[in-house]
Amino acid sequence: MTDIETKTRIARQFIEALPHSRALGMKLVDIGDGWAVMALDWRADLVGDPETEVVHGGVVTALLDTCGGSSVMSHPTAPRGTATIDLRIDYMRAAEPRRRIFARAECYRITRSVAFVRGLAWTASPDDPVAAAAGAFSVEGVER
Amino acid sequence: MQVVKQRRDAALGRLVGGIPYVGFLGVGFERRGDELTAVLPYDERLIGNPMLPALHGGAIGAFLEIAAIVELSWTVVWEAMEGGGEAADAIEAGRFPPMPKTIDFTVDYLRSGLPRDAYARARVNRMGRRYASVHVEAWQDNRARLFAQATGHFLMPNVDA
């Protein structure tokens, strides 16, 4: 097994074991140095507007938050822990009902105490995003 | 006058009860007149960091977004009920105006969420014909020690269309 396969497997087990991520059915699709791709399937109990059957914005927030935290944890500086300081989500459009939602987050800058993250959520293509995220995460134990 | 109270509680119950995700998270609303307090009862499923343990940032963000959107919808419903006429009859019959849509939502995580109940109150700072700006504050043990706050902008449903 290659290093990247081992890293992906460990990250998947860790993320998918978090109680809230499990409850929402989040899956880690892929992970690399300072980035992560996750997915979440539509479910009737996650709907925010019964008229349209569109999932609640909070579900997309939870997915992008988890994906953002995963991108920080996968950064080559190997932080020991992370927590969200702030997270902004811009909603471009509703996610169509019964479609899998994907999210990709990237930790594009990291200091001794803060990681800066941006992310995108989509259904069919990242060129047609559902939401965009920008966040700051606290980090501990960054290797310098 | 208890009839008025019952009518308002029933309207709030239908508004909140119609949102599946609110039920999934277990969020409830307490009402004092037109003032709402959102309650998130602790559940193991809300945990994001089992080591601390701490509530998941996504669960906290979702709770605040629910508090904001229900406050905004409730403000519209309240005005319709108070105004009487056709709009009030529609609410009475269970026909609510379309939900506002979130444009953006920014969550400020001030402290880690402890494994216990959380509360939130939202304030509509501006509600125009097209957009609304809502601020939310959330706390656990102490009302003055917020553990999260958020600001969101919402697209108001076009009631004329």
Side-chain angles (χ1 to χ4, degrees):
Chain A
M1 198 177 268
T2 64
D3 282 357
I4 189 70
E5 282 171 344
T6 308
K7 185 176 176 176
T8 306
R9 185 176 51 82
I10 292 168
R12 178 171 293 133
Q13 283 171 353
F14 177 76
I15 294 158
E16 294 177 6
L18 301 178
H20 193 62
S21 305
R22 266 177 80 101
L24 289 171
M26 287 183 203
K27 300 279 179 236
L28 181 74
V29 176
D30 204 358
I31 195 161
D33 285 345
W35 60 268
V37 179
M38 297 189 67
L40 186 150
D41 285 324
W42 182 92
R43 265 187 5 218
D45 58 354
L46 304 182
V47 165
D49 185 345
E51 290 286 318
T52 59
E53 294 194 311
V54 170
V55 295
H56 195 278
V59 177
V60 179
T61 301
L63 182 66
L64 282 164
D65 181 57
T66 308
C67 200
S70 304
S71 75
V72 174
M73 292 304 287
S74 72
H75 195 272
T77 53
R80 272 187 286 113
T82 188
T84 320
I85 298 172
D86 93 324
L87 185 68
R88 173 189 168 111
I89 312 282
D90 292 309
Y91 295 96
M92 274 92 208
R93 63 175 183 88
E96 311 91 315
R98 297 181 175 77
R99 293 291 296 271
R100 172 172 284 196
I101 301 171
F102 292 94
R104 186 185 194 281
E106 177 195 5
C107 173
Y108 63 92
R109 187 78 192 161
I110 197 161
T111 72
R112 260 176 305 175
S113 44
V114 186
F116 299 91
V117 170
R118 55 189 162 219
L120 211 56
W122 68 90
T123 50
S125 157
D127 295 332
D128 184 20
V130 166
F137 289 71
S138 69
V139 286
E140 281 170 44
V142 170
E143 289 170 15
R144 281 277 137 182
Chain B
M1 281 316 277
Q2 284 302 307
V3 177
V4 175
K5 185 173 187 297
Q6 274 171 17
R7 197 164 62 214
R8 287 170 179 170
D9 285 340
L12 178 62
R14 279 199 298 269
L15 175 70
V16 173
I19 310 171
Y21 187 57
V22 172
F24 171 82
L25 279 184
V27 176
F29 283 84
E30 289 175 2
R31 185 180 73 82
R32 303 281 181 276
D34 68 342
E35 182 196 69
L36 298 183
T37 305
V39 183
L40 178 69
Y42 173 69
D43 189 287
E44 194 266 339
R45 288 185 315 162
L46 303 174
I47 292 291
N49 183 335
M51 309 290 277
L52 286 175
L55 298 181
H56 194 288
I60 297 167
F63 173 52
L64 269 64
E65 196 170 331
I66 286 170
I69 210 158
V70 167
E71 177 72 33
L72 191 54
S73 298
W74 178 244
T75 304
V76 174
V77 167
W78 180 273
E79 284 176 5
M81 284 192 301
E82 292 296 289
E86 268 180 47
D89 294 344
I91 302 290
E92 187 76 7
R95 293 194 308 275
F96 289 93
M99 303 271 289
K101 290 185 166 57
T102 315
I103 299 167
D104 61 61
F105 201 71
T106 307
V107 188
D108 199 354
Y109 296 91
L110 304 169
R111 298 184 167 78
S112 74
L114 303 168
R116 57 186 80 141
D117 295 359
Y119 312 95
R121 255 180 225 155
R123 184 179 70 233
V124 179
N125 282 327
R126 183 186 186 273
M127 186 168 70
R129 281 164 46 84
R130 297 169 69 193
Y131 308 110
S133 178
V134 184
H135 185 77
V136 198
E137 294 183 341
W139 71 98
Q140 293 192 294
D141 298 325
N142 187 334
R143 177 70 178 87
R145 276 171 62 88
L146 302 180
F147 82 108
Q149 61 180 353
T151 300
H153 296 94
F154 298 85
L155 191 62
M156 298 305 291
N158 187 351
V159 281
D160 305 327

Short mmCIF file of all heavy atoms in Angstrom, two decimals, chain B residues 10-75:
data_model
loop_
_atom_site.label_atom_id
_atom_site.label_comp_id
_atom_site.label_asym_id
_atom_site.label_seq_id
_atom_site.Cartn_x
_atom_site.Cartn_y
_atom_site.Cartn_z
N ALA B 10 -49.99 27.06 17.50
CA ALA B 10 -50.28 26.10 16.43
C ALA B 10 -49.57 26.50 15.14
O ALA B 10 -49.00 25.66 14.44
CB ALA B 10 -51.79 26.01 16.19
N ALA B 11 -49.57 27.82 14.85
CA ALA B 11 -48.91 28.31 13.64
C ALA B 11 -47.41 28.05 13.72
O ALA B 11 -46.80 27.57 12.75
CB ALA B 11 -49.18 29.80 13.45
N LEU B 12 -46.81 28.33 14.88
CA LEU B 12 -45.37 28.09 15.05
C LEU B 12 -45.04 26.60 14.93
O LEU B 12 -44.08 26.21 14.28
CB LEU B 12 -44.91 28.62 16.42
CG LEU B 12 -43.43 28.40 16.76
CD1 LEU B 12 -42.52 29.12 15.77
CD2 LEU B 12 -43.13 28.87 18.19
N GLY B 13 -45.91 25.77 15.54
CA GLY B 13 -45.73 24.33 15.49
C GLY B 13 -45.75 23.81 14.06
O GLY B 13 -44.94 22.97 13.68
N ARG B 14 -46.67 24.35 13.25
CA ARG B 14 -46.78 23.90 11.85
C ARG B 14 -45.59 24.39 11.03
O ARG B 14 -45.06 23.66 10.19
CB ARG B 14 -48.08 24.39 11.22
CG ARG B 14 -49.28 23.53 11.58
CD ARG B 14 -50.42 23.77 10.58
NE ARG B 14 -50.87 25.15 10.63
CZ ARG B 14 -51.84 25.61 11.42
NH1 ARG B 14 -52.47 24.80 12.23
NH2 ARG B 14 -52.17 26.87 11.39
N LEU B 15 -45.17 25.64 11.30
CA LEU B 15 -44.02 26.21 10.57
C LEU B 15 -42.76 25.38 10.82
O LEU B 15 -42.07 24.97 9.89
CB LEU B 15 -43.80 27.66 11.04
CG LEU B 15 -42.56 28.37 10.48
CD1 LEU B 15 -42.74 28.67 8.99
CD2 LEU B 15 -42.28 29.68 11.22
N VAL B 16 -42.48 25.11 12.09
CA VAL B 16 -41.26 24.38 12.48
C VAL B 16 -41.39 22.89 12.15
O VAL B 16 -40.45 22.27 11.65
CB VAL B 16 -40.98 24.60 13.98
CG1 VAL B 16 -39.82 23.73 14.45
CG2 VAL B 16 -40.67 26.07 14.25
N GLY B 17 -42.57 22.34 12.40
CA GLY B 17 -42.80 20.90 12.19
C GLY B 17 -42.72 20.50 10.73
O GLY B 17 -42.51 19.32 10.42
N GLY B 18 -42.85 21.48 9.83
CA GLY B 18 -42.81 21.18 8.40
C GLY B 18 -41.40 21.05 7.85
O GLY B 18 -41.22 20.71 6.69
N ILE B 19 -40.38 21.34 8.66
CA ILE B 19 -38.99 21.31 8.18
C ILE B 19 -38.31 20.03 8.70
O ILE B 19 -37.95 19.94 9.87
CB ILE B 19 -38.20 22.56 8.66
CG1 ILE B 19 -38.98 23.86 8.36
CG2 ILE B 19 -36.81 22.59 8.03
CD1 ILE B 19 -38.37 25.12 8.98
N PRO B 20 -38.12 19.02 7.82
CA PRO B 20 -37.56 17.74 8.28
C PRO B 20 -36.21 17.87 9.00
O PRO B 20 -35.98 17.20 10.01
CB PRO B 20 -37.40 16.94 6.98
CG PRO B 20 -38.42 17.52 6.05
CD PRO B 20 -38.49 18.98 6.39
N TYR B 21 -35.32 18.72 8.50
CA TYR B 21 -33.98 18.82 9.08
C TYR B 21 -34.00 19.36 10.52
O TYR B 21 -33.13 19.00 11.32
CB TYR B 21 -33.10 19.72 8.18
CG TYR B 21 -31.65 19.75 8.59
CD1 TYR B 21 -30.90 18.59 8.67
CD2 TYR B 21 -31.02 20.95 8.90
CE1 TYR B 21 -29.56 18.61 9.04
CE2 TYR B 21 -29.69 20.99 9.26
CZ TYR B 21 -28.96 19.82 9.34
OH TYR B 21 -27.65 19.85 9.71
N VAL B 22 -35.01 20.18 10.83
CA VAL B 22 -35.18 20.68 12.20
C VAL B 22 -35.46 19.49 13.13
O VAL B 22 -34.91 19.40 14.23
CB VAL B 22 -36.32 21.73 12.27
CG1 VAL B 22 -36.64 22.11 13.70
CG2 VAL B 22 -35.95 22.96 11.47
N GLY B 23 -36.28 18.55 12.63
CA GLY B 23 -36.57 17.34 13.39
C GLY B 23 -35.35 16.44 13.52
O GLY B 23 -35.10 15.85 14.57
N PHE B 24 -34.57 16.35 12.44
CA PHE B 24 -33.36 15.52 12.44
C PHE B 24 -32.38 15.99 13.53
O PHE B 24 -31.82 15.18 14.28
CB PHE B 24 -32.68 15.58 11.06
CG PHE B 24 -31.32 14.94 11.02
CD1 PHE B 24 -31.19 13.56 10.88
CD2 PHE B 24 -30.17 15.71 11.13
CE1 PHE B 24 -29.93 12.97 10.85
CE2 PHE B 24 -28.91 15.13 11.10
CZ PHE B 24 -28.80 13.75 10.96
N LEU B 25 -32.18 17.32 13.63
CA LEU B 25 -31.26 17.84 14.65
C LEU B 25 -31.91 17.87 16.03
O LEU B 25 -31.21 17.97 17.04
CB LEU B 25 -30.80 19.26 14.28
CG LEU B 25 -29.67 19.42 13.27
CD1 LEU B 25 -29.31 20.89 13.14
CD2 LEU B 25 -28.42 18.63 13.64
N GLY B 26 -33.24 17.80 16.08
CA GLY B 26 -33.96 17.81 17.35
C GLY B 26 -34.19 19.21 17.89
O GLY B 26 -34.44 19.40 19.09
N VAL B 27 -34.13 20.23 17.00
CA VAL B 27 -34.29 21.62 17.44
C VAL B 27 -35.75 21.93 17.78
O VAL B 27 -36.65 21.54 17.04
CB VAL B 27 -33.79 22.60 16.34
CG1 VAL B 27 -34.03 24.05 16.75
CG2 VAL B 27 -32.32 22.36 16.05
N GLY B 28 -35.97 22.60 18.91
CA GLY B 28 -37.29 23.04 19.30
C GLY B 28 -37.31 24.55 19.47
O GLY B 28 -36.25 25.18 19.53
N PHE B 29 -38.52 25.13 19.54
CA PHE B 29 -38.62 26.58 19.72
C PHE B 29 -39.55 26.91 20.88
O PHE B 29 -40.63 26.35 20.98
CB PHE B 29 -39.14 27.25 18.43
CG PHE B 29 -38.07 27.36 17.38
CD1 PHE B 29 -37.79 26.30 16.54
CD2 PHE B 29 -37.31 28.51 17.25
CE1 PHE B 29 -36.78 26.36 15.59
CE2 PHE B 29 -36.30 28.60 16.31
CZ PHE B 29 -36.04 27.52 15.47
N GLU B 30 -39.09 27.81 21.75
CA GLU B 30 -39.92 28.31 22.84
C GLU B 30 -40.33 29.73 22.51
O GLU B 30 -39.52 30.51 22.01
CB GLU B 30 -39.13 28.26 24.15
CG GLU B 30 -38.93 26.82 24.63
CD GLU B 30 -38.06 26.72 25.86
OE1 GLU B 30 -37.63 27.76 26.38
OE2 GLU B 30 -37.79 25.57 26.27
N ARG B 31 -41.60 30.06 22.79
CA ARG B 31 -42.12 31.36 22.39
C ARG B 31 -42.60 32.16 23.60
O ARG B 31 -43.29 31.62 24.46
CB ARG B 31 -43.31 31.14 21.43
CG ARG B 31 -43.88 32.42 20.84
CD ARG B 31 -45.04 32.12 19.92
NE ARG B 31 -46.25 31.71 20.64
CZ ARG B 31 -47.11 32.57 21.21
NH1 ARG B 31 -46.91 33.86 21.16
NH2 ARG B 31 -48.17 32.11 21.86
N ARG B 32 -42.18 33.42 23.67
CA ARG B 32 -42.74 34.38 24.64
C ARG B 32 -43.24 35.54 23.82
O ARG B 32 -42.42 36.36 23.37
CB ARG B 32 -41.67 34.88 25.62
CG ARG B 32 -40.96 33.80 26.41
CD ARG B 32 -41.81 33.30 27.59
NE ARG B 32 -41.11 32.29 28.35
CZ ARG B 32 -41.08 30.99 28.03
NH1 ARG B 32 -41.74 30.55 26.97
NH2 ARG B 32 -40.41 30.14 28.77
N GLY B 33 -44.54 35.63 23.57
CA GLY B 33 -45.05 36.65 22.66
C GLY B 33 -44.46 36.40 21.29
O GLY B 33 -44.48 35.27 20.80
N ASP B 34 -43.85 37.43 20.70
CA ASP B 34 -43.27 37.22 19.38
C ASP B 34 -41.80 36.79 19.46
O ASP B 34 -41.16 36.57 18.44
CB ASP B 34 -43.42 38.48 18.49
CG ASP B 34 -42.57 39.64 18.99
OD1 ASP B 34 -42.16 39.61 20.18
OD2 ASP B 34 -42.33 40.58 18.21
N GLU B 35 -41.25 36.68 20.68
CA GLU B 35 -39.84 36.33 20.85
C GLU B 35 -39.65 34.80 20.86
O GLU B 35 -40.32 34.09 21.60
CB GLU B 35 -39.30 36.91 22.15
CG GLU B 35 -37.81 36.61 22.34
CD GLU B 35 -37.34 36.83 23.77
OE1 GLU B 35 -37.75 36.05 24.66
OE2 GLU B 35 -36.60 37.78 23.99
N LEU B 36 -38.71 34.34 20.02
CA LEU B 36 -38.44 32.90 19.94
C LEU B 36 -37.06 32.58 20.50
O LEU B 36 -36.11 33.34 20.30
CB LEU B 36 -38.47 32.43 18.49
CG LEU B 36 -39.77 32.56 17.70
CD1 LEU B 36 -39.57 31.97 16.31
CD2 LEU B 36 -40.92 31.87 18.41
N THR B 37 -36.95 31.46 21.18
CA THR B 37 -35.66 30.92 21.58
C THR B 37 -35.56 29.52 20.99
O THR B 37 -36.43 28.68 21.22
CB THR B 37 -35.52 30.83 23.12
OG1 THR B 37 -35.78 32.12 23.67
CG2 THR B 37 -34.12 30.37 23.53
N ALA B 38 -34.50 29.30 20.21
CA ALA B 38 -34.26 27.97 19.63
C ALA B 38 -33.49 27.14 20.65
O ALA B 38 -32.59 27.65 21.31
CB ALA B 38 -33.48 28.09 18.33
N VAL B 39 -33.88 25.87 20.79
CA VAL B 39 -33.23 24.98 21.74
C VAL B 39 -32.69 23.76 20.99
O VAL B 39 -33.41 23.13 20.21
CB VAL B 39 -34.23 24.51 22.83
CG1 VAL B 39 -33.52 23.63 23.86
CG2 VAL B 39 -34.89 25.70 23.51
N LEU B 40 -31.40 23.47 21.21
CA LEU B 40 -30.78 22.28 20.62
C LEU B 40 -30.45 21.32 21.76
O LEU B 40 -29.43 21.49 22.44
CB LEU B 40 -29.51 22.66 19.85
CG LEU B 40 -28.71 21.50 19.21
CD1 LEU B 40 -29.47 20.89 18.04
CD2 LEU B 40 -27.34 21.99 18.74
N PRO B 41 -31.31 20.33 22.01
CA PRO B 41 -31.03 19.39 23.11
C PRO B 41 -29.82 18.53 22.76
O PRO B 41 -29.65 18.13 21.61
CB PRO B 41 -32.30 18.53 23.19
CG PRO B 41 -33.32 19.20 22.33
CD PRO B 41 -32.55 19.97 21.31
N TYR B 42 -28.97 18.31 23.76
CA TYR B 42 -27.75 17.53 23.50
C TYR B 42 -28.08 16.11 23.02
O TYR B 42 -28.99 15.47 23.50
CB TYR B 42 -26.86 17.45 24.75
CG TYR B 42 -25.71 16.51 24.51
CD1 TYR B 42 -24.70 16.86 23.62
CD2 TYR B 42 -25.67 15.23 25.08
CE1 TYR B 42 -23.68 15.98 23.32
CE2 TYR B 42 -24.64 14.35 24.79
CZ TYR B 42 -23.65 14.73 23.91
OH TYR B 42 -22.64 13.86 23.60
N ASP B 43 -27.31 15.68 22.05
CA ASP B 43 -27.42 14.31 21.55
C ASP B 43 -26.02 13.89 21.10
O ASP B 43 -25.27 14.70 20.56
CB ASP B 43 -28.39 14.26 20.35
CG ASP B 43 -28.72 12.84 19.93
OD1 ASP B 43 -27.84 12.16 19.33
OD2 ASP B 43 -29.84 12.38 20.20
N GLU B 44 -25.69 12.64 21.32
CA GLU B 44 -24.37 12.12 20.96
C GLU B 44 -24.06 12.32 19.46
O GLU B 44 -22.91 12.53 19.08
CB GLU B 44 -24.30 10.63 21.35
CG GLU B 44 -22.92 10.02 21.37
CD GLU B 44 -22.58 9.32 20.06
OE1 GLU B 44 -23.50 8.98 19.31
OE2 GLU B 44 -21.36 9.16 19.79
N ARG B 45 -25.11 12.30 18.64
CA ARG B 45 -24.95 12.46 17.19
C ARG B 45 -24.45 13.85 16.77
O ARG B 45 -24.13 14.07 15.62
CB ARG B 45 -26.30 12.25 16.49
CG ARG B 45 -26.79 10.82 16.47
CD ARG B 45 -28.05 10.75 15.64
NE ARG B 45 -28.96 11.87 15.98
CZ ARG B 45 -29.96 12.27 15.22
NH1 ARG B 45 -30.20 11.68 14.08
NH2 ARG B 45 -30.73 13.28 15.60
N LEU B 46 -24.48 14.80 17.72
CA LEU B 46 -24.07 16.17 17.39
C LEU B 46 -22.58 16.39 17.62
O LEU B 46 -22.04 17.45 17.32
CB LEU B 46 -24.86 17.18 18.24
CG LEU B 46 -26.38 17.11 18.14
CD1 LEU B 46 -27.03 18.07 19.14
CD2 LEU B 46 -26.84 17.46 16.72
N ILE B 47 -21.91 15.38 18.14
CA ILE B 47 -20.48 15.49 18.48
C ILE B 47 -19.60 15.46 17.23
O ILE B 47 -19.80 14.64 16.34
CB ILE B 47 -20.08 14.35 19.45
CG1 ILE B 47 -20.75 14.55 20.83
CG2 ILE B 47 -18.56 14.23 19.59
CD1 ILE B 47 -20.25 15.74 21.62
N GLY B 48 -18.63 16.40 17.19
CA GLY B 48 -17.68 16.42 16.08
C GLY B 48 -16.30 15.99 16.53
O GLY B 48 -15.53 15.41 15.77
N ASN B 49 -15.97 16.28 17.79
CA ASN B 49 -14.68 15.88 18.35
C ASN B 49 -14.93 15.01 19.58
O ASN B 49 -15.22 15.52 20.66
CB ASN B 49 -13.86 17.13 18.72
CG ASN B 49 -12.48 16.78 19.24
OD1 ASN B 49 -12.24 15.69 19.74
ND2 ASN B 49 -11.55 17.72 19.11
N PRO B 50 -14.81 13.69 19.41
CA PRO B 50 -15.12 12.78 20.53
C PRO B 50 -14.08 12.84 21.65
O PRO B 50 -14.36 12.42 22.77
CB PRO B 50 -15.12 11.39 19.89
CG PRO B 50 -15.05 11.62 18.41
CD PRO B 50 -14.44 12.97 18.22
N MET B 51 -12.86 13.38 21.36
CA MET B 51 -11.80 13.42 22.36
C MET B 51 -12.10 14.45 23.45
O MET B 51 -11.84 14.21 24.62
CB MET B 51 -10.45 13.75 21.70
CG MET B 51 -10.11 12.89 20.50
SD MET B 51 -9.74 11.20 20.96
CE MET B 51 -8.02 11.38 21.40
N LEU B 52 -12.60 15.63 23.03
CA LEU B 52 -12.79 16.71 24.02
C LEU B 52 -13.84 16.42 25.09
O LEU B 52 -13.51 16.59 26.27
CB LEU B 52 -13.08 18.03 23.28
CG LEU B 52 -11.88 18.68 22.59
CD1 LEU B 52 -12.29 19.90 21.80
CD2 LEU B 52 -10.80 19.06 23.58
N PRO B 53 -15.07 16.04 24.82
CA PRO B 53 -15.78 16.06 23.54
C PRO B 53 -16.35 17.46 23.27
O PRO B 53 -16.58 18.23 24.18
CB PRO B 53 -16.91 15.06 23.78
CG PRO B 53 -17.17 15.11 25.25
CD PRO B 53 -15.89 15.54 25.92
N ALA B 54 -16.61 17.73 21.97
CA ALA B 54 -17.17 19.02 21.57
C ALA B 54 -18.19 18.83 20.46
O ALA B 54 -18.09 17.88 19.67
CB ALA B 54 -16.05 19.94 21.09
N LEU B 55 -19.17 19.75 20.41
CA LEU B 55 -20.18 19.69 19.36
C LEU B 55 -19.51 19.95 18.00
O LEU B 55 -18.52 20.69 17.92
CB LEU B 55 -21.26 20.75 19.60
CG LEU B 55 -22.09 20.65 20.88
CD1 LEU B 55 -23.12 21.77 20.93
CD2 LEU B 55 -22.79 19.30 20.97
N HIS B 56 -20.06 19.38 16.95
CA HIS B 56 -19.54 19.55 15.59
C HIS B 56 -19.82 20.98 15.11
O HIS B 56 -20.93 21.47 15.28
CB HIS B 56 -20.22 18.54 14.67
CG HIS B 56 -19.56 18.39 13.33
ND1 HIS B 56 -19.63 19.36 12.37
CD2 HIS B 56 -18.81 17.39 12.82
CE1 HIS B 56 -18.96 18.93 11.30
NE2 HIS B 56 -18.45 17.74 11.55
N GLY B 57 -18.79 21.61 14.51
CA GLY B 57 -18.97 22.96 13.98
C GLY B 57 -20.11 23.03 12.99
O GLY B 57 -20.83 24.04 12.93
N GLY B 58 -20.30 21.98 12.24
CA GLY B 58 -21.38 21.95 11.25
C GLY B 58 -22.75 21.91 11.92
O GLY B 58 -23.70 22.55 11.46
N ALA B 59 -22.84 21.18 13.04
CA ALA B 59 -24.11 21.10 13.78
C ALA B 59 -24.43 22.46 14.40
O ALA B 59 -25.59 22.89 14.40
CB ALA B 59 -24.03 20.02 14.86
N ILE B 60 -23.39 23.14 14.90
CA ILE B 60 -23.59 24.47 15.50
C ILE B 60 -24.03 25.46 14.43
O ILE B 60 -24.99 26.20 14.61
CB ILE B 60 -22.28 24.95 16.19
CG1 ILE B 60 -21.91 24.02 17.35
CG2 ILE B 60 -22.41 26.38 16.67
CD1 ILE B 60 -20.48 24.21 17.87
N GLY B 61 -23.33 25.44 13.28
CA GLY B 61 -23.68 26.32 12.17
C GLY B 61 -25.10 26.08 11.70
O GLY B 61 -25.86 27.03 11.47
N ALA B 62 -25.48 24.81 11.58
CA ALA B 62 -26.82 24.45 11.13
C ALA B 62 -27.88 24.93 12.13
O ALA B 62 -28.92 25.46 11.74
CB ALA B 62 -26.92 22.94 10.94
N PHE B 63 -27.58 24.78 13.42
CA PHE B 63 -28.50 25.21 14.47
C PHE B 63 -28.73 26.73 14.37
O PHE B 63 -29.88 27.20 14.43
CB PHE B 63 -27.90 24.84 15.84
CG PHE B 63 -28.64 25.37 17.03
CD1 PHE B 63 -30.00 25.15 17.18
CD2 PHE B 63 -27.96 26.07 18.03
CE1 PHE B 63 -30.68 25.63 18.30
CE2 PHE B 63 -28.63 26.56 19.14
CZ PHE B 63 -29.99 26.35 19.28
N LEU B 64 -27.67 27.49 14.17
CA LEU B 64 -27.79 28.94 14.07
C LEU B 64 -28.55 29.35 12.80
O LEU B 64 -29.32 30.30 12.81
CB LEU B 64 -26.40 29.60 14.11
CG LEU B 64 -25.94 30.00 15.51
CD1 LEU B 64 -25.77 28.80 16.41
CD2 LEU B 64 -24.65 30.81 15.47
N GLU B 65 -28.30 28.60 11.72
CA GLU B 65 -28.99 28.92 10.46
C GLU B 65 -30.49 28.63 10.59
O GLU B 65 -31.32 29.38 10.08
CB GLU B 65 -28.37 28.13 9.30
CG GLU B 65 -28.76 28.69 7.95
CD GLU B 65 -27.98 28.08 6.80
OE1 GLU B 65 -26.83 27.66 7.01
OE2 GLU B 65 -28.54 28.03 5.69
N ILE B 66 -30.82 27.54 11.29
CA ILE B 66 -32.23 27.22 11.54
C ILE B 66 -32.87 28.33 12.38
O ILE B 66 -33.96 28.80 12.08
CB ILE B 66 -32.35 25.85 12.25
CG1 ILE B 66 -32.07 24.72 11.25
CG2 ILE B 66 -33.73 25.67 12.88
CD1 ILE B 66 -31.92 23.35 11.90
N ALA B 67 -32.15 28.75 13.44
CA ALA B 67 -32.68 29.81 14.32
C ALA B 67 -32.94 31.08 13.51
O ALA B 67 -33.97 31.74 13.69
CB ALA B 67 -31.70 30.09 15.45
N ALA B 68 -32.03 31.41 12.59
CA ALA B 68 -32.16 32.64 11.79
C ALA B 68 -33.33 32.55 10.82
O ALA B 68 -34.15 33.47 10.74
CB ALA B 68 -30.87 32.89 11.02
N ILE B 69 -33.44 31.42 10.13
CA ILE B 69 -34.45 31.31 9.07
C ILE B 69 -35.86 31.16 9.68
O ILE B 69 -36.83 31.70 9.13
CB ILE B 69 -34.08 30.17 8.08
CG1 ILE B 69 -34.61 30.48 6.68
CG2 ILE B 69 -34.52 28.81 8.54
CD1 ILE B 69 -33.88 29.76 5.58
N VAL B 70 -35.95 30.48 10.82
CA VAL B 70 -37.26 30.35 11.48
C VAL B 70 -37.69 31.71 12.06
O VAL B 70 -38.85 32.10 11.95
CB VAL B 70 -37.25 29.24 12.57
CG1 VAL B 70 -38.48 29.31 13.45
CG2 VAL B 70 -37.15 27.86 11.92
N GLU B 71 -36.74 32.45 12.63
CA GLU B 71 -37.05 33.79 13.15
C GLU B 71 -37.60 34.68 12.03
O GLU B 71 -38.61 35.38 12.20
CB GLU B 71 -35.79 34.42 13.76
CG GLU B 71 -35.96 35.85 14.28
CD GLU B 71 -36.79 35.93 15.56
OE1 GLU B 71 -36.72 35.00 16.36
OE2 GLU B 71 -37.52 36.93 15.72
N LEU B 72 -36.92 34.62 10.88
CA LEU B 72 -37.33 35.44 9.75
C LEU B 72 -38.71 35.02 9.22
O LEU B 72 -39.58 35.86 8.99
CB LEU B 72 -36.26 35.32 8.65
CG LEU B 72 -36.32 36.28 7.47
CD1 LEU B 72 -36.35 37.73 7.93
CD2 LEU B 72 -35.10 36.04 6.57
N SER B 73 -38.92 33.71 9.06
CA SER B 73 -40.21 33.20 8.61
C SER B 73 -41.30 33.56 9.61
O SER B 73 -42.42 33.94 9.24
CB SER B 73 -40.18 31.67 8.45
OG SER B 73 -39.23 31.31 7.48
N TRP B 74 -40.94 33.43 10.89
CA TRP B 74 -41.92 33.71 11.96
C TRP B 74 -42.32 35.18 11.94
O TRP B 74 -43.48 35.52 12.18
CB TRP B 74 -41.33 33.30 13.31
CG TRP B 74 -42.22 33.57 14.48
CD1 TRP B 74 -41.98 34.42 15.51
CD2 TRP B 74 -43.51 32.99 14.74
NE1 TRP B 74 -43.03 34.40 16.39
CE2 TRP B 74 -43.98 33.53 15.94
CE3 TRP B 74 -44.31 32.06 14.04
CZ2 TRP B 74 -45.22 33.18 16.49
CZ3 TRP B 74 -45.55 31.72 14.58
CH2 TRP B 74 -45.98 32.27 15.78
N THR B 75 -41.36 36.07 11.66
CA THR B 75 -41.65 37.50 11.58
C THR B 75 -42.69 37.76 10.49
O THR B 75 -43.64 38.52 10.68
CB THR B 75 -40.35 38.29 11.30
OG1 THR B 75 -39.39 37.97 12.30
CG2 THR B 75 -40.58 39.79 11.30
#
